[in-house]
């Protein structure tokens, strides 16, 4: 494509890749009374995988944590957000613009269902009208001050999705999949679209992964085996969370009570969304059991490359991801600070299974044990060698607890 390309393909004979069109800034400004800090698009390959549910739950989670949160329902032909929040009133407009509806807990919502006279009316509009409507939700709605806006995208990576990503200033995309889908193809398409748009993919969420019997606790893979691990690795994406089929969730959506549905599924996403740019946690791409292979994440409390003597005093954590006892990925995460009791929870959120350190306080050991993380103390020397020795079964914990007063509070006591 020539440098002078004006995107009018009748003007020259050169083949257009469409890339320049994508890179050209076509983003529209929001209403002058809107200040939106972060915009996250939630996409899926097809309808019915739980994209709207995930969008709603993410908004509920961020709102619960005190952030001004909103949902822009861009799934114009299948809008289900108002129902999940039990909203039946209509949005109000003045000559200034359109006002979103505020949910019981304070989330701002705009959806086509808040404008149609009858919410069961089908929306039988062509693509450009749908895209135009979504754009107006961005430009004409008076959102006010918003920390996090979640966009429930139309399913697929077609024309409407593309226009939305070109017109709205989206900071990141989350892809929702379910085991019965052609996940590989969907993720490949979403990755290509995101590249074209220059928008980072924050990661994958697998919904309806399995059903856990409330009586015996056994897990049933209703939609078959998941291939999410391989796909995540192929595209170098993180699996942000895996959600079960939960009849209580379905009923909360049906009854407009999604705001009171309790779960602890989104810690990692909250961590990513709230991380300041410069301290964005690094990603280690293993979270679930790979087909037949045993996967482990080992954190070594370190001073650069050496195992630290005092856990809470460490400079960084070297995190080794291993499959079948072979280290396949290493990351270094700076010690985020040593408030008592904080680091074990922080490492738990990173998906760590084993922690190796020189010394450690009893308090920290207890929390690690509670979280099911194995604690190896008494290690020294090279951090990676310590992890390798652990994998070979050669590194045993001395079990000694750190009592040094000068480090009181820093070792997790
Ligand atoms: P999409 O937005 O992808 O079209 P929805 O979020 O509307 O899909 O979900 C489709 C249906 O599946 C809804 O009735 C919803 O309540 C239900 N559902 C989604 N995820 C789950 C889950 N994890 N457990 C139980 N029901 C779910």
């Amino acid at each position: 494509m020539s440098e002078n390309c004006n995107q009018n393909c009748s003007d020259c004979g050169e083949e257009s890749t469409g890339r320049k069109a994508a890179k050209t800034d076509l983003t529209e400004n929001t209403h002058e009374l809107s200040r939106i800090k972060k915009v996250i698009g939630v996409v899926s390959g097809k309808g019915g995988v739980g994209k709207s549910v995930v969008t709603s739950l993410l908004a509920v989670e961020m709102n619960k944590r005190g952030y001004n949160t909103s949902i822009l329902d861009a799934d114009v032909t299948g809008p289900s957000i108002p129902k999940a929040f039990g909203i039946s009133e209509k949005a109000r407009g003045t000559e200034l613009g359109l006002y979103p509806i505020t949910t019981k807990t304070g989330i701002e919502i705009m959806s086509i269902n808040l404008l149609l006279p009858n919410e069961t009316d089908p929306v039988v509009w062509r693509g450009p009208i749908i895209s135009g409507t979504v754009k107006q939700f961005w430009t004409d709605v008076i959102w006010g001050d918003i920390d996090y806006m979640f966009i429930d995208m139309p399913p697929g990576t077609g024309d409407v999705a593309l226009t939305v990503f070109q017109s709205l200033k989206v900071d990141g995309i989350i892809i929702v999949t379910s085991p019965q889908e052609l996940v590989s193809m969907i993720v490949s398409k979403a990755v290509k679209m995101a590249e074209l748009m220059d928008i980072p993919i924050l990661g994958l969420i697998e919904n309806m992964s399995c059903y856990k019997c409330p009586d015996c606790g056994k897990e049933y893979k209703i939609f078959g085996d998941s291939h999410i691990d391989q796909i995540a690795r192929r595209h170098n994406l993180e699996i942000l969370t895996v959600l079960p089929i939960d009849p209580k969730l379905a009923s909360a959506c049906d009854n407009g009570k999604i705001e009171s549905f309790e779960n602890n599924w989104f810690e990692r996403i909250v961590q990513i969304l709230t991380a300041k740019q410069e301290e964005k946690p690094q990603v280690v791409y293993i979270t679930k059991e790979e087909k037949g292979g045993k996967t482990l994440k080992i954190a070594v409390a370190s001073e650069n490359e050496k195992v630290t003597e005092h856990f809470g005093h460490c400079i960084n954590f070297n995190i080794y991801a291993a499959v079948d006892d072979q280290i396949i990925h290493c990351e270094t995460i700076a010690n985020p600070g040593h408030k008592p009791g904080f680091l074990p929870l922080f490492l738990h959120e990173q998906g760590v299974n084993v922690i190796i350190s020189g010394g450690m306080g009893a308090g920290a050991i207890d929390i690690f044990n509670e979280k099911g993380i194995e604690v190896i103390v008494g290690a020294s020397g090279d951090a990676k060698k310590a992890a390798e020795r652990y994998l070979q079964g050669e590194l045993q914990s001395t079990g000694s607890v750190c009592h040094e007063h000068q480090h009181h509070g820093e070792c997790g006591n």
Side-chain angles (χ1 to χ4, degrees):
M1 187 166 62
S2 118
E3 270 306 299
N4 303 321
C5 174
N6 61 4
Q7 299 301 308
N8 180 354
C9 294
S10 61
D11 285 2
C12 78
E14 280 189 56
E15 195 182 339
S16 168
T17 59
R19 265 191 175 270
K20 188 153 180 191
K23 299 268 178 189
T24 308
D25 188 7
L26 299 173
T27 50
E28 309 247 352
N29 289 328
T30 51
H31 191 283
E32 56 185 11
L33 295 175
S34 301
R35 274 165 306 276
I36 304 167
K37 290 195 189 131
K38 209 163 223 173
V39 180
I40 307 298
V42 183
V43 306
S44 69
K46 62 172 179 125
V49 299
K51 172 180 54 60
S52 307
V53 169
V54 167
T55 309
S56 306
L57 288 173
L58 284 171
V60 171
E61 187 69 43
M62 296 311 283
N63 187 56
K64 235 188 245 166
R65 291 172 190 249
Y67 297 101
N68 292 340
T69 307
S70 65
I71 300 178
L72 187 160
D73 186 358
D75 193 354
V76 172
T77 53
S80 47
I81 299 285
K83 183 159 193 263
F85 285 87
I87 297 172
S88 51
E89 67 218 85
K90 297 294 161 207
R92 193 171 56 87
T94 66
E95 68 266 31
L96 271 184
L98 199 55
Y99 288 88
I101 295 280
T102 309
T103 70
K104 292 179 206 85
T105 62
I107 300 169
E108 306 291 346
I109 288 183
M110 181 48 72
S111 166
I112 194 70
N113 265 6
L114 305 179
L115 300 172
L116 293 175
N118 185 355
E119 65 172 24
T120 54
D121 286 348
V123 173
V124 280
W125 299 340
R126 291 193 192 276
I129 308 277
I130 297 177
S131 313
T133 307
V134 177
K135 272 197 230 170
Q136 277 185 292
F137 286 174
W138 176 254
T139 55
D140 298 356
V141 171
I142 301 170
W143 291 102
D145 276 320
I146 298 294
D147 296 313
Y148 293 95
M149 170 183 276
F150 294 93
I151 304 181
D152 186 9
M153 291 294 297
T157 45
D159 191 36
V160 177
L162 218 61
T163 316
V164 172
F165 281 126
Q166 276 181 329
S167 319
L168 279 54
K169 293 187 181 81
V170 180
D171 297 290
I173 296 175
I174 290 174
I175 305 173
V176 182
T177 67
S178 70
Q180 87 270 33
E181 283 187 299
L182 293 167
V183 180
S184 172
M185 194 175 72
I186 287 156
V187 173
S188 302
K189 284 188 177 184
V191 168
K192 283 210 185 97
M193 182 178 72
E195 269 173 15
L196 201 66
M197 300 285 118
D198 256 347
I199 303 173
I201 298 184
L202 303 184
L204 305 173
I205 295 182
E206 185 177 71
N207 189 26
M208 308 194 197
S209 173
C210 65
Y211 173 71
K212 196 170 179 181
C213 171
D215 298 327
C216 66
K218 196 172 166 201
E219 290 188 357
Y220 295 91
K221 295 188 173 164
I222 310 274
F223 294 123
D225 283 334
S226 159
H227 302 286
I228 196 85
D229 280 328
Q230 295 97 305
I231 290 156
R233 185 162 312 160
R234 189 177 312 143
H235 294 285
N236 214 19
L237 292 173
E238 183 176 0
I239 301 169
L240 300 170
T241 185
V242 173
L243 313 186
I245 296 172
D246 187 340
K248 286 201 200 107
L249 175 57
S251 127
C253 291
D254 287 346
N255 297 312
K257 301 231 164 87
I258 196 145
E259 285 163 291
S260 41
F261 177 80
E262 302 219 343
N263 68 87
N264 58 358
W265 295 331
F266 299 108
E267 283 300 326
R268 173 66 181 148
I269 300 181
V270 171
Q271 192 192 14
I272 291 174
L273 291 181
T274 54
K276 292 204 192 91
Q277 212 54 38
E278 64 273 20
E279 19 174 273
K280 211 163 218 163
Q282 303 209 29
V283 167
V284 180
Y285 295 107
I286 295 191
T287 51
K288 261 177 75 184
E289 284 227 330
E290 181 91 348
K291 219 164 127 199
K294 197 177 82 188
T295 66
L296 267 186
K297 253 193 205 181
I298 304 164
V300 183
S302 308
E303 279 159 43
N304 300 317
E305 298 309 316
K306 294 257 178 290
V307 182
T308 187
E309 268 180 61
H310 303 285
F311 170 68
H313 211 48
C314 76
I315 293 171
N316 56 297
F317 292 100
N318 285 308
I319 300 194
Y320 303 98
V323 175
D324 283 340
D325 300 336
Q326 294 297 317
I327 292 176
I328 59 149
H329 196 284
C330 312
E331 292 282 352
T332 297
I333 299 181
N335 182 344
H338 34 64
K339 285 171 275 169
F342 169 70
L343 289 176
L345 299 177
F346 171 75
L347 292 172
H348 175 64
E349 281 169 8
Q350 309 290 319
V352 164
N353 311 103
V354 181
I355 172 76
I356 297 175
S357 179
M360 189 183 294
I365 293 179
D366 284 347
I367 304 175
F368 277 123
N369 287 339
E370 254 171 49
K371 297 281 172 199
I373 296 173
E374 186 181 356
V375 179
I376 305 284
V377 286
S380 58
D382 184 78
K384 187 166 184 195
K385 286 226 170 69
E388 284 168 344
R389 287 185 56 222
Y390 170 83
L391 288 166
Q392 301 317 313
E394 292 167 5
L395 186 69
Q396 305 294 330
S397 180
T398 59
S400 61
V401 173
C402 182
H403 293 296
E404 249 188 81
H405 285 293
Q406 98 193 75
H407 298 294
H408 184 76
E410 294 175 355
C411 294
N413 272 314

